[in-house]
Amino acid sequence: MDVDTGIDDALALIVAATLGEQFDLLAVTTVAGNADLAAVTRNTRAVLGLLNRSDISVAAGAATPLLRPLRTAPHIHGPGGLGTIDPDALTPRPAALYPESAAEVIARLARTRPGEITIIATGPLTNLALALRMDPPLASRLAEIVIMGGAITVPGNASPVAEANFLTDPEAARIVLSSGIPVTLVPLDVTERVRIDRTGLDNLRQRAHQRGSTVGRFAADVLAFYLRAYEQHRQAGAALHDPLAVALLARPDLGTADPLHVQIAVADPLTAGQCIVDRRPIPPEQILPSNVRCYLQVAAEAARDFILDLLLGPPGVGNA
Ligand code: RIB
Ligand code: CA
């Protein structure tokens, strides 16, 4: 997984770890996004420690986007990325750090296991773009990249037309989407529909309490901050962006993915990060061949319930 942890990235890590045998989680790489690189790396190591997955090492990646200054999101994720939670207080055993960079780890693992690795990317795509630049054959060695990013038929969430991960590093998004790697896109069109509200949060907290699940209690605590942030922006319910990307990899039946040709705008500040899709009613042979499978439909309630169950954590982990 390539993450910018971030509240919903932390939830995505919990979902992936709780799915257990369905995912052989090989490594986690970090990229600056929701918070700066030091913070997202500290958060990621702490969440893996909380999950009792200190066996998985973390590689720190890009501290800034390829060509632009970093834009963080303290108003949604808190100043350090996990609301008001201090990651150092979460676990005595944070996951270890690789001595290599994220791009180096991605390239090395793909070289040793060609055709076997799927990357779930829930932050800006800077690390993947750097890895492709460093080692172009990487494109033919990855099985797939599942990306939480983009907005196809809906408005953006970080500009009128752009989703936050693509707006933060549009050049990287363009490189990855034109790399030839099989890409599955999980855009705002579906993630904005899978939300947790006060009732869902109370229910999660209650179940975490009943089970004595420290993982579930942590999920409820960060979600409380995240939900308040959404409510301050007059939105009822908080979108479960990043966990949905993991959920759809495990349960593709929860949505419908269509082949699309998606290009990313980079030049004009007004449109940077926008997904350009040719939706004109023109003969199919005039439409560019697809470069992504893109989820545009989701069974929203079923997906939300699937995710909420998994946020209680793996059986036996952190259960008091
Ligand atoms: O637009 C939502 C995405 O931006 C999520 O990945 C969230 O964590 C932020 O990075
Ligand atoms: Ca993210």
Side-chain angles (χ1 to χ4, degrees):
M1 292 177 68
D2 187 52
V3 297
D4 65 331
T5 315
I7 289 175
D8 59 331
D9 304 78
L11 303 178
L13 288 166
I14 296 175
V15 168
T18 309
L19 282 164
E21 285 169 12
Q22 225 169 323
F23 287 129
D24 177 11
L25 189 52
L26 274 182
V28 181
T29 54
T30 60
V31 60
N34 288 322
D36 67 34
L37 183 68
V40 302
T41 304
R42 194 161 51 238
N43 295 344
T44 304
R45 296 173 66 193
V47 172
L48 288 170
L50 179 74
L51 286 160
N52 216 4
R53 293 305 305 266
S54 307
D55 57 305
I56 299 167
S57 295
V58 174
T64 58
L66 294 180
L67 301 178
R68 299 165 190 254
L70 176 65
R71 41 188 311 287
T72 58
H75 54 298
I76 305 281
H77 297 269
L82 289 181
T84 54
I85 288 179
D86 172 8
D88 295 336
L90 278 181
T91 173
R93 286 188 309 280
L97 256 190
Y98 279 105
E100 309 145 277
S101 71
E104 286 167 338
V105 167
I106 291 168
R108 177 171 58 75
L109 291 176
R111 211 176 305 123
T112 53
R113 299 176 71 155
E116 286 181 32
I117 292 174
T118 291
I119 295 183
I120 306 176
T122 62
L125 293 168
T126 322
N127 288 336
L128 285 157
L130 288 171
L132 283 163
R133 283 283 153 92
M134 197 179 76
D135 188 16
L138 172 66
S140 61
R141 295 184 183 134
L142 288 173
E144 186 184 6
I145 305 184
V146 178
I147 298 171
M148 190 283 125
I152 308 296
T153 63
V154 298
N157 63 350
S159 86
V161 295
E163 179 278 331
N165 289 334
F166 283 13
L167 179 64
T168 301
D169 199 340
E171 286 78 13
R174 177 180 277 201
I175 289 169
V176 173
L177 263 61
S178 57
S179 66
I181 301 170
V183 168
T184 296
L185 214 53
V186 182
L188 294 181
D189 307 63
V190 286
T191 65
E192 292 276 19
R193 296 191 47 221
V194 179
R195 288 178 183 251
I196 181 165
D197 61 10
R198 292 260 143 211
T199 311
L201 177 58
D202 291 346
N203 186 275
L204 174 67
R205 196 181 287 289
Q206 202 178 356
R207 289 163 72 202
H209 186 72
Q210 276 161 4
R211 279 217 209 166
S213 160
T214 48
V215 173
R217 275 204 294 264
F218 163 74
D221 287 346
V222 286
L223 273 167
F225 184 96
Y226 189 64
L227 183 55
R228 258 196 313 277
Y230 268 79
E231 287 169 348
Q232 275 160 14
H233 290 82
R234 292 201 215 110
Q235 295 196 42
L240 297 169
H241 303 289
D242 295 344
L244 183 65
V246 183
L248 286 172
L249 185 56
R251 286 278 313 274
D253 59 299
L254 289 171
T256 310
D258 296 321
L260 280 186
H261 186 87
V262 178
Q263 291 170 290
I264 308 299
V266 293
D268 189 312
L270 266 182
T271 56
Q274 181 176 16
C275 292
I276 310 294
V277 179
D278 195 344
R279 303 176 75 82
R280 291 174 297 172
I282 53 177
E285 62 276 12
Q286 289 178 23
I287 297 180
L288 291 166
S290 66
N291 59 342
V292 306
R293 282 172 69 244
C294 182
Y295 279 98
L296 293 174
Q297 306 289 336
V298 66
E301 285 185 17
R304 180 202 57 205
D305 293 346
F306 179 64
I307 291 167
L308 291 184
D309 283 348
L310 293 165
L311 290 182
L312 291 167
V317 173
N319 290 348

